[in-house]
Amino acid sequence: MNEMTQTNTTQINPLGTEPVGRLLRRFAVPSIVAMLVNALYNMVDQIFIGHSIGELGNAATNVAFPLTTSCTALALLFGIGAASAFNLSMGRGEKDKALYYIGNAAVMMFGSGIVLFLIAELFLDPMLIFFGSPDNVLGLAREYVRIVAVGFPFLILTSGGAHLVRADGSPNYSMACNLTGALINTILDPILIFGFKMGMTGAALATITGQIISAFLVFRYLRHYKAGPFTREHLRPKMIYLGYAMTLGMAQCFNQLAMMLVQIVMNNSLRHYGALSVYGEAIPLACSGIINKVSFMFFAFCIGIAQGMQPIASFNYGAKNYDRVKKVIFLSLSAGQIICITAFCLFQIFPLQITALFGNGSDLYFSFAERYFRIYLFFTFINNLQPMSSTFFSSIGKPKKGTFLSLTRQIIFLLPLLVILPLFLGIDGIMYAGPIADCLAAVISGIFLAGELKKMGAEAER
């Protein structure tokens, strides 16, 4: 493609012409809402379950959470990957090729959800035990997951499809898809849990109802995609398109899989070392579940900003508008830093008040939650660097660096620390593993990002 084609493509696409700050707000706000909605699906359930069932109910949702994380991993693998490939292709003026990435991704998201549903139904009890479920929690976790698993195809299509919708220049519709499902879930939760006294079953039914409706809205949009209509050929999976899209989405996918692996190890460690402490097995699991959900709410802002940055960075990097690429990453980092500092203050000052939102518990329960909040989330104020850098490298077509950075916190640092530190510090070692991993991951991400920005500056001067 010649330079004139690139210039014309940039001029007709707002990603290459509108002010970067305005574009980032336009894309990041719906992305943040979408991520918050995904977090709310689980947090709202946990709040109502905590008030109706108590500590054991909170522990059950924590045990089940790795399956939800696996859905998010698949959604990001195909959703972020296809969206990045689509925007990079559009930036290069390759519109015909771009549609194949979207069509292939949509089919794979729903199909992978069906496969995950079947695996969960066939191997439910062994999986929950592997995820760290104590005997007194297993029944509640089984009751919840058996129903929630039905919604896996719809959850993946909703979460991943939101990226496809946003890549087409419709961030508000993307936000509406996720927000509709969350509102339905929030309305149905108290009705089914308290009104019909359905407990865990009611929470699960409320969740999948919202997911099914959200998925329908995504499907409705894809039928009228602005970049062009889809043919059967676009929907037929082909590795030439899936391979490239999956490569670009691999960093975010691996980050979620790493989170899932870490959570499984953490659940089992909390159960083991909790049994050796005054807290017992269930209290650490319940508190960890709450803190994971709350911290994910904070991460939703950082990840949402990063995802809002993605189409802007992808398009302008493809069009070689490096000044705009640098501007969007600086604006994204600045916004993320404000969120991080705010979250740090909340976690350090109000841990007991936050824990109380999720129901009542014993004095030991609140004591452990308070220490966990303040120690495990101590380096929250620098936690935007790692997800921002990982997404940035994948967005500009450098998935190896993005994948490496996505693995730094969870796999390279946190996982070994979770195994080693408790051998010397007991259950406290689990808490101290978090801030050490956060600090090391932020340092590595900052070094990589600074190097890439310097390289882009040199290329822009040529």
Side-chain angles (χ1 to χ4, degrees):
M1 184 178 66
N2 58 39
E3 187 176 345
M4 183 177 294
T5 305
Q6 285 183 336
T7 303
N8 290 339
T9 302
T10 303
Q11 289 175 345
I12 63 174
N13 195 309
L15 291 173
T17 57
E18 287 190 14
V20 173
R22 184 190 304 166
L23 282 171
L24 184 60
R25 287 192 298 272
R26 179 184 169 197
F27 282 90
V29 171
S31 299
I32 291 169
V33 172
M35 291 301 301
L36 286 173
V37 166
N38 289 334
L40 281 172
Y41 268 118
N42 297 287
M43 199 169 86
V44 168
D45 281 353
Q46 188 146 358
I47 289 173
F48 287 114
I49 287 170
H51 283 280
S52 63
I53 299 174
E55 295 173 10
L56 294 181
N58 281 330
T61 59
N62 187 36
V63 168
F65 197 60
L67 282 170
T68 302
T69 306
S70 66
C71 289
T72 304
L74 290 167
L76 293 177
L77 176 66
F78 297 113
I80 282 283
S84 297
F86 173 83
N87 288 128
L88 283 167
S89 295
M90 294 293 284
R92 298 178 185 128
E94 301 168 346
K95 180 178 178 180
D96 291 340
K97 182 188 291 187
L99 288 174
Y100 282 96
Y101 295 117
I102 304 299
N104 276 225
V107 171
M108 290 303 298
M109 283 188 287
F110 196 80
S112 63
I114 294 174
V115 172
L116 187 59
F117 156 70
L118 293 173
I119 292 172
E121 293 293 340
L122 291 173
F123 305 103
L124 184 56
D125 278 15
M127 288 177 68
L128 293 176
I129 293 171
F130 177 68
F131 292 163
S133 176
D135 292 339
N136 59 344
V137 174
L138 183 60
L140 293 170
R142 182 194 302 122
E143 179 184 353
Y144 183 72
V145 174
R146 195 171 294 282
I147 298 172
V148 168
V150 176
F152 286 168
F154 305 99
L155 173 59
I156 295 173
L157 181 60
T158 298
S159 300
H163 300 294
L164 308 185
V165 173
R166 188 171 58 252
D168 193 41
S170 300
N172 290 330
Y173 189 93
S174 171
M175 175 178 64
C177 292
N178 288 279
L179 191 58
T180 299
L183 289 174
I184 291 170
N185 181 36
T186 304
I187 293 169
L188 290 179
D189 258 333
I191 294 174
L192 297 179
I193 293 174
F194 297 108
F196 289 91
K197 302 187 184 301
M198 297 178 70
M200 300 293 287
T201 297
L205 288 173
T207 297
I208 65 170
T209 301
Q211 291 167 354
I212 291 170
I213 293 173
S214 291
F216 171 78
L217 293 175
V218 171
F219 175 75
R220 178 176 175 270
Y221 182 92
L222 292 177
R223 291 188 61 193
H224 304 91
Y225 211 63
K226 290 194 296 187
F230 293 105
T231 65
R232 289 185 179 180
E233 191 67 20
H234 291 131
L235 301 176
R236 186 176 294 117
K238 294 182 180 180
M239 279 310 300
I240 188 174
Y241 301 111
L242 283 175
Y244 182 57
M246 291 167 67
T247 300
L248 296 180
M250 198 175 296
Q252 286 73 24
C253 175
F254 278 4
N255 191 44
Q256 293 295 317
L257 292 177
M259 288 173 61
M260 182 177 70
L261 178 60
V262 166
Q263 186 173 15
I264 293 170
V265 172
M266 182 177 289
N267 284 350
N268 282 282
S269 296
L270 288 168
R271 183 181 64 178
H272 174 73
Y273 290 102
L276 301 177
S277 71
V278 296
Y279 303 110
E281 291 182 325
I283 286 177
L285 277 173
C287 293
S288 176
I290 291 171
I291 288 161
N292 284 340
K293 302 297 192 312
V294 172
S295 62
F296 188 74
M297 289 289 290
F298 142 69
F299 271 115
F301 285 94
C302 295
I303 296 172
I305 293 170
Q307 291 177 355
M309 170 194 69
Q310 174 268 312
I312 307 167
S314 293
F315 182 89
N316 286 286
Y317 193 86
K320 298 185 178 181
N321 292 329
Y322 297 125
D323 287 341
R324 290 175 65 82
V325 177
K326 291 171 66 176
K327 187 169 184 178
V328 74
I329 186 64
F330 280 124
L331 286 174
S332 300
L333 286 170
S334 299
Q337 193 60 47
I338 294 171
I339 298 298
C340 288
I341 294 173
T342 302
F344 169 79
C345 294
L346 290 174
F347 297 157
Q348 294 299 314
I349 298 173
F350 303 111
L352 291 177
Q353 291 85 344
I354 295 172
T355 304
L357 294 174
F358 293 84
N360 298 319
S362 63
D363 290 340
L364 280 175
Y365 170 74
F366 281 102
S367 174
F368 185 83
E370 182 179 15
R371 294 190 67 237
Y372 203 137
F373 259 110
R374 288 180 171 157
I375 296 173
Y376 191 79
L377 299 178
F378 182 78
F379 275 114
T380 295
F381 58 89
I382 56 173
N383 270 356
N384 65 315
L385 267 172
Q386 188 260 349
M388 202 78 69
S389 301
S390 175
T391 301
F392 174 71
F393 279 106
S394 297
S395 298
I396 63 173
K398 297 188 177 183
K400 290 183 180 179
K401 289 184 178 180
T403 301
F404 171 75
L405 291 176
S406 73
L407 297 177
T408 50
R409 181 187 184 273
Q410 302 290 341
I411 297 298
I412 298 175
F413 298 129
L414 183 56
L415 191 59
L417 289 169
L418 284 174
V419 175
I420 296 170
L421 290 184
L423 296 175
F424 303 96
L425 301 175
I427 199 165
D428 284 357
I430 299 173
M431 291 186 264
Y432 283 105
I436 296 173
D438 287 341
C439 183
L440 293 173
V443 170
I444 297 296
S445 298
I447 293 172
F448 271 66
L449 187 58
E452 184 62 33
L453 292 174
K454 184 178 180 180
K455 182 179 178 182
M456 280 195 298
E459 291 182 6
E461 291 176 358
R462 292 176 184 174

